[in-house]
Amino acid sequence: KGKTVLNNLSLSIKKGEKVAILGRSGVGKSTLVKLLTGTYTDYEGEIVVLNKKPTEKMLGTEVSLLNQKPYLFDMTIRENLKLALLDAGVEDSEIENKINDSLEKAQLTKLLQSLPDGIDTNVFETGSRFSGGERQRISIARALLKNAPVVLLDEATASMDAESETLVQEALSTLLAGKTVLVIAHRMRTVANADKIVVLDGGKVAEQGTPEELLRNQGVFSRLYAAQGL
């Protein structure tokens, strides 16, 4: 809308690296995600994801996006999960095994056992039948099935209680293994295991490095860390 959000931003993420993006609200973190997924196309400069310009089509197979409000379609859990396999070339005989494996890794076995129709329970529109943590774990199961090489987490555990966040974090640890990961977060717990932290300020990279390096630098990250009583 005519406003420059990110300016002279330069950032490189290596294959298999887990990078956390931090900064105050409104600094451009979610804008960066929209650029990387091809949602925003109005920019100057160059963006390369998996050796090509990002497009929304990449979200189909090559990039998994998990945000604060995961979207589920008005269909059963099974049908929501099978959407991830449309372009995966999976044989029909393998589908059920893959789905069951993803449900177990996403910490959903206990939930399904509590539902009268199990995996064939309808989630209703947007997944309103379930809590935020349960919806997120279903979306993680879907991402596990898709097995995209790049995963973007945009405040994926925000607004969750401690118990829900613990279950989601356990599910995420399985999903993120061996992937290239970009994490947008406010909570320090979410970024503690990042290979690199990038702090945005004024639309630019204010500082970047490992958590230990940034704490020693006594800069923006150090102040954010202290503000959360850590």
Side-chain angles (χ1 to χ4, degrees):
K1 299 180 179 180
K3 177 185 176 184
T4 299
V5 180
L6 300 169
N7 186 35
N8 291 329
L9 176 68
S10 180
L11 178 62
S12 178
I13 299 173
K14 299 175 183 177
K15 180 180 179 181
E17 197 170 32
K18 183 178 180 182
V19 176
I21 306 291
L22 295 178
R24 298 188 302 271
S25 295
V27 79
K29 301 187 298 297
S30 290
T31 296
L32 179 60
V33 170
K34 290 180 171 65
L35 288 167
L36 292 173
T37 55
T39 306
Y40 284 172
T41 57
D42 184 16
Y43 62 88
E44 295 178 359
E46 185 179 33
I47 301 174
V48 178
V49 179
L50 298 173
N51 299 316
K52 54 193 167 187
K53 182 178 179 179
T55 64
E56 287 189 283
K57 187 177 180 180
M58 293 176 70
L59 287 169
T61 54
E62 297 169 291
V63 177
S64 285
L65 171 62
L66 299 176
N67 53 29
Q68 187 174 347
K69 296 180 179 179
Y71 189 90
L72 300 177
F73 293 93
D74 186 11
M75 52 179 66
T76 68
I77 296 172
R78 186 194 304 274
E79 290 168 331
N80 267 282
L81 296 181
K82 288 175 76 171
L83 292 173
L85 299 173
L86 290 177
D87 300 317
V90 178
E91 297 291 333
D92 289 345
S93 59
E94 298 178 11
I95 288 178
E96 287 305 307
N97 287 336
K98 285 185 173 292
I99 287 177
N100 290 333
D101 185 53
S102 74
L103 290 169
E104 183 177 348
K105 290 178 178 176
Q107 308 289 319
L108 283 165
T109 304
K110 187 175 180 181
L111 171 65
L112 293 180
Q113 289 172 345
S114 71
L115 300 172
D117 296 319
I119 193 174
D120 293 309
T121 300
N122 193 295
V123 303
F124 300 144
E125 189 172 359
T126 74
S128 58
R129 183 171 193 149
F130 300 107
S131 69
E134 289 166 346
R135 288 198 301 273
Q136 193 64 276
R137 280 182 281 146
I138 294 172
S139 72
I140 290 171
R142 190 165 56 189
L144 281 163
L145 285 168
K146 185 162 69 170
N147 198 27
V150 176
V151 181
L152 306 179
L153 305 177
D154 188 3
E155 300 285 5
T157 60
S159 305
M160 287 185 190
D161 59 62
E163 183 178 358
S164 295
E165 184 180 6
T166 297
L167 286 171
V168 170
Q169 289 289 358
E170 289 173 358
L172 282 174
S173 66
T174 302
L175 170 64
L176 303 181
K179 303 288 194 299
T180 303
V181 184
L182 186 74
V183 183
I184 307 291
H186 281 102
R187 297 182 182 180
M188 294 297 114
R189 176 186 178 184
T190 310
V191 304
N193 296 320
D195 299 312
K196 180 169 68 177
I197 290 177
V198 177
V199 182
L200 298 183
D201 192 36
K204 302 177 183 179
V205 175
E207 56 186 2
Q208 59 181 305
T210 66
E212 296 76 17
E213 289 170 345
L214 296 189
L215 282 174
R216 288 197 299 268
N217 290 346
Q218 296 292 301
V220 180
F221 174 76
S222 180
R223 292 194 293 272
L224 290 170
Y225 193 85
Q228 293 193 18
L230 300 171

